[in-house]
Structures are given as structure tokens and as C-alpha cells.
Amino acid sequence: MGFQGWLVMTGSARMAGMTDPDRIWTEAAGRLRSEIGEGPFSSYIAPSAVRADGAGQLILVTPTAYARDWVRKNALRRMNELWLGLDGLSRRLDVRCRAEMGSVAPASQVAAGRAEGATVTPLVQPIPMATVGPVADGARAVRAAGLQERLTFDSFVEGQGNAFALAIARQAAAWADGHFNPIFFCGPYGYGKTHLLNAIAWEAQRLRPDARVVYLTAERFLSTFVRAMQDRSTAAFKDSLRSADMLLIDDVQFVGGKTSTQEELLSTLTALIEDGKKIVLSADRPPMALSEVEPRLRSHLASGLTCPVEPADRALKLAVARNRIETLARLGVVSGEAMPEVLEHLVDRTPGSMRELEGAVNTLAAVAGARLSSLSVDETQALLGSALRGGPERRITVDEIQKTVADHFSLKQADLLSERRTRAVARPRQIAMWLCKQHTTRSYPDIGRRFGGRDHTTVLHGVRKIEELMALDDQIARDVETLTRKLRG
């Protein structure tokens, strides 16, 4: 809906005489969420609540002073425009933090009392508090944008192939003056780039809780920018990024081929660099190898420090496997330690990425449980069966995956390539895409082309959706496991 359309709608609401603050706030907040983005909204607006002070003044109460200042600077003006468009009583909002407020009444109760001509005494009503303290308030912001809490420097395992990248990441997280800008991590899928960006964001926010650290994937950058253009709210989108003290963007290769998105990213990087703000990026290739990215943007990406993240050697993989077992032991999933020869067998039979190795360790832990420390190599092989790669691997094709998935879900292969979006077709299609990414060497764009000419961002969304659901939905996890066994014979 464009801005003029919004004015028409809010004008109608005023004529209808909407006066309930809770209803008005629900309407206004929904629009504000689409304008400023999910990350800022979840961090600063969602934990807040509209209350009324003793004089009946409507107040947006934020959990912290930092959130109050952010709202006052970035959102209060627009918030009042939306509120006045909806409120039949033409009231305005102010913003204060929880520490500034005494006992206040819910705004809806004050409004009801005034409508009845009663004298309203503010009730002792606790104001909703943020679930984290001031130091973690910034961390709440980056977590809302998709960071994973387990991906920190403490959980990152150092080895020969990533030692330089880790040192640079720590330097960036410490806000060190004089380091190269931007920093560009590059390397194969599944060897620690996302882990490093997550770790930088967490540590940078811990060291400077007042700073604005923004982390997002290139997919999120793309989708948010497209939505901002559709809603005619590109100014808010630009401000949300260019007000960052540190901007981290993962998987930059996915902006390739999107002209307007590349132009916006270039403008954002230029503005931040000129203001002395920190930029950290990652991709599966060095900047100048991103052939689908416009030359000027490639030049900017390559203008700082290009830092490779090399594939892990055997020693590093063993260290990662041990680290994962220790983590699972602390969580109570397993008891004791695995025998060295068992971990060596696991590493040797899992020659893929670190993610695949972690998956194999997780599988072993889930199957073994308290028996882990007593398992022999032969027992491990018997327990895991075809989950481990034994010897030369049979080549699995996209066509084979599509046929296997279609048969499993009682569909036709053509259904997976069609435009049908019903759950009965869309979910198997996403599972098939996930399997293609796991068991073939095809890129996201190539997989998309083989699924009816879909965009690579659609494939990426499908893959990440299945990764998310496998941890939450037992049926999906069983379907994926069954299909994997069928594909591996």
C-alpha cells in the first residue's frame, strides 16, 4: 500500500471515531513494522507499550533509555503521524523509558474512564520489561536480525586454515582503529564464515553496548529493500542501515544480477566508509571473482582486506568434532568422551564441510547417548550405517532427487517444477531443494533453474526453511532422513 493509500485508510479510521489506544497502537505498530524493518522494530518498538500518565498523556514506555533515545531520534515523528491518522481524539504520543515512569495505568483504561466521565486514578501496573539488561539490549537487536547465540568466538575452533581469518575477526570485533575497511571473508560453503560474522557482531556489541551493530544476510538485504520500494519507504530502509556503527552482511554473492539492489548496497557501503563506520562482509568467492556483481561494487568490496577462510585440514576437523562432543556433553545429550579412533573414523568418513561433520557428530551423539565412551569403530559404523560415507560416493543427480521426493510424497515430478504453492507441494519442493544442496555440487541459481526457473533466493529460502524445521518438526526430520537413505542406496 502506498503512502497516499495509507492516508485514505487512516482518514476513514478517524471518521469512524477510533479512540481505543490499544486498537490504535496495534494498527500503527503494524505499519511501522513494515516501514522500519523487523530488526529495529523487534529491538526497540516491540518490547515497548503505550501507557497513560496521571494527566492522561499517552506515553510509549521503552524498557531502556537507549531504546527511548533511538525511538525519539528515528521513529517518534512517523509514529505520531500514524497515530494522529487513526485517533479520533487527535492525541499525540510521547516517549519515555521505564526508569522515568512511576505507576501508570494502561492507556485503554484511562480512555475508558474519560469516556464515562469518571475520575481515573492511575493503577499500579508494571510496565513490560525487556528480557535482557542494558548491555544485552544491543545484542537483542542483532539477535532479532538472525544471529545464532551459539556462534561466538568461544565456540570457534582455530586451525591452520582459519587462524588468520580468526585474528582479523577479533580485531574487527574489538573496534580496533586502523584496520582495513571493508573486511571481506571468502571461502567455501560450510567452513566458518557465518560463524565469524556472528562472533564479531556478538563481541562488538558486548564491548560497545551503546553502538548500533547491524547483521543481515544478503537475502534479507534484498527482500527488505524490495519491500521498502513496494511500500515507498526506501528512506527508512536507507536510514536503518546508514545509522549503523558496524554493518555485517553475509553471503554477498546473492546480490549478483540485481541491479537496483547492487546500487543501494554500493551507496550504503560508500556512505558508511565515508563516515568511518565498520563494514564486514562474506561470500563464497573473493570479490573480483563475483562475476555477476557490477564492477564498481566489486571494486568497493575488494578495496579493504580480503581474508580467505580455507577448507579445514584433518587436525582441525578432529578438533571440531571433539569440541562438538564436549558441547553436547555439557547439554546432557551424551556421557563421557568418544574414543580417538571413533572420532578419526567419523572425520575420515565425512569429507565434506564442517556443517556436515557437525551433523555426523550430532547423529552419533543422538544414537549413542550414554554409550558414547564405550563405542568401538565397528559399533559406530553399524549404528550410523549409510549416514557415513564409506568409500567412493555414488553421484546423486538433481533429477534423481526430484523423482525420489515426488514418489515419497505421492506427487508427480512435474508438481515440484510447477507454480503450485499449496503446502502439499511447496514443502516437498523445499525438501528436494535442500537435498540438492546437500548431495550435489549445484549452486543455488542452478538448482533454481532446475526447479522450473526459480530465483536463487527462493532456493536459499527453501533450504534455510528446511534446516529450521528439521530441528522443530519430527515428521520433517524423519522424511529427510528416509529420503537421504533412499538416495544413498
Side-chain angles (χ1 to χ4, degrees):
M1 182 191 303
F3 185 64
Q4 291 180 339
W6 175 249
L7 288 178
V8 170
M9 189 190 81
T10 55
S12 300
R14 174 177 294 186
M15 292 176 64
M18 186 184 293
T19 59
D20 179 9
D22 290 341
R23 288 180 58 202
I24 298 170
W25 177 239
T26 299
E27 292 263 359
R31 177 64 179 180
L32 194 64
R33 181 196 295 267
S34 68
E35 290 186 0
I36 69 175
E38 185 63 35
F41 184 91
S42 298
S43 304
Y44 303 110
I45 308 298
S48 306
V50 176
R51 295 290 185 260
D53 64 13
Q57 169 69 47
L58 296 181
I59 309 292
L60 180 72
V61 183
T62 63
T64 66
Y66 178 65
R68 174 204 63 198
D69 294 342
W70 187 93
V71 170
R72 186 169 287 159
K73 177 182 178 182
N74 298 284
L76 185 59
R77 180 178 176 182
R78 180 58 179 150
M79 198 180 295
N80 268 303
E81 290 176 355
L82 297 173
W83 187 280
L84 289 170
L86 288 162
D87 187 5
L89 300 179
S90 299
R91 294 163 292 189
R92 296 186 67 87
L93 278 177
D94 194 7
V95 58
R96 300 179 202 168
C97 67
R98 188 180 68 86
E100 294 174 318
M101 301 292 290
S103 298
V104 294
S108 56
Q109 180 175 345
V110 173
R114 292 188 183 279
E116 296 170 3
T119 301
V120 178
T121 302
L123 300 177
V124 179
Q125 179 86 7
I127 296 170
M129 297 175 60
T131 57
V132 290
V135 172
D137 191 62
R140 179 187 177 91
V142 287
R143 180 160 59 250
L147 286 185
Q148 301 177 56
E149 293 189 27
R150 71 183 186 89
L151 300 183
T152 65
F153 284 127
D154 289 340
S155 62
F156 190 87
V157 182
E158 182 177 357
Q160 184 175 350
N162 62 30
F164 176 62
L166 178 59
I168 294 299
R170 289 188 181 277
Q171 185 179 8
W175 301 93
D177 292 330
H179 70 74
F180 300 97
N181 201 28
I183 294 174
F184 194 100
F185 293 102
C186 59
Y189 174 80
Y191 284 99
K193 302 185 302 297
T194 296
H195 195 145
L196 287 175
L197 263 65
N198 274 250
I200 292 170
W202 289 122
E203 182 68 4
Q205 195 74 72
R206 185 187 70 82
L207 294 175
R208 281 185 53 185
D210 59 326
R212 186 160 189 267
V213 177
V214 177
Y215 167 92
L216 69 168
T217 63
E219 179 194 18
R220 182 183 287 269
F221 181 95
L222 172 62
S223 62
T224 307
F225 178 59
V226 170
R227 187 171 65 245
M229 289 194 298
Q230 293 171 343
D231 293 344
R232 301 182 185 179
S233 58
T234 53
F237 173 79
K238 294 172 189 282
D239 289 343
S240 69
L241 293 182
R242 297 180 192 184
S243 61
D245 297 296
M246 178 182 289
L247 175 64
L248 305 100
I249 302 181
D250 202 4
D251 289 328
V252 173
Q253 69 269 14
F254 292 123
V255 302
K258 310 294 182 182
T259 303
S260 58
T261 304
Q262 291 184 64
E263 291 174 354
E264 179 56 34
L265 178 58
L266 177 58
S267 298
T268 297
L269 298 182
T270 302
L272 290 174
I273 290 173
E274 289 176 351
D275 289 343
K277 305 301 177 61
K278 311 299 183 185
I279 301 171
V280 185
L281 309 154
S282 80
D284 60 355
R285 287 156 283 161
M288 300 313 293
L290 299 173
S291 56
E292 295 183 350
V293 172
E294 191 264 336
R296 283 192 309 148
L297 178 55
R298 284 206 308 266
S299 178
H300 273 71
L301 297 177
S303 64
L305 171 65
T306 299
C307 186
V309 181
E310 302 291 346
D313 57 18
R314 190 170 186 268
L316 178 56
K317 286 190 171 184
L318 285 169
V320 168
R322 281 193 295 269
N323 180 267
R324 185 59 183 161
I325 288 290
E326 291 170 1
T327 299
L328 293 172
R330 288 195 296 270
L331 295 172
V333 177
V334 295
S335 301
E337 300 178 356
M339 294 182 184
E341 57 268 28
V342 167
L343 291 184
E344 291 172 3
H345 177 76
L346 204 64
V347 167
D348 292 341
R349 294 297 184 273
T350 315
S353 71
M354 303 293 263
R355 287 195 181 98
E356 186 175 341
L357 174 60
E358 283 199 347
V361 174
N362 291 342
T363 303
L364 176 63
V367 172
R371 298 175 51 204
L372 177 66
S373 59
S374 63
L375 281 184
S376 67
V377 172
D378 289 341
E379 288 173 320
T380 299
Q381 181 63 43
L383 283 174
L384 295 182
S386 58
L388 294 180
R389 297 179 180 179
E393 186 183 17
R394 184 177 62 83
R395 183 172 177 266
I396 299 172
T397 66
V398 172
D399 183 70
E400 182 183 2
I401 290 171
Q402 291 174 343
K403 289 178 179 177
T404 303
V405 171
D407 181 67
H408 179 80
F409 290 100
S410 301
L411 299 170
K412 297 178 181 178
Q413 185 176 356
D415 291 331
L416 302 180
L417 279 60
S418 71
E419 293 296 323
R420 292 175 59 189
R421 297 183 180 180
T422 59
R423 177 67 63 88
V425 174
R427 194 67 80 219
R429 182 186 294 129
Q430 290 175 330
I431 291 175
M433 291 175 175
W434 185 88
L435 290 167
C436 287
K437 193 58 188 172
Q438 294 297 313
H439 300 292
T440 76
T441 58
R442 302 294 181 184
S443 65
Y444 285 110
D446 196 11
I447 293 172
R449 284 191 290 270
R450 291 166 181 263
F451 278 80
R454 284 175 165 78
D455 187 86
H456 73 271
T457 56
T458 302
V459 180
L460 179 61
H461 170 75
V463 169
R464 289 182 172 170
K465 186 64 177 179
I466 295 305
E467 288 177 348
E468 174 188 339
L469 289 175
M470 284 171 63
L472 303 173
D473 190 321
D474 290 339
Q475 184 57 54
I476 294 241
R478 286 193 294 270
D479 286 335
V480 170
E481 181 182 1
T482 300
L483 287 164
T484 299
R485 284 201 304 269
K486 289 180 179 179
L487 290 168
R488 287 179 170 173

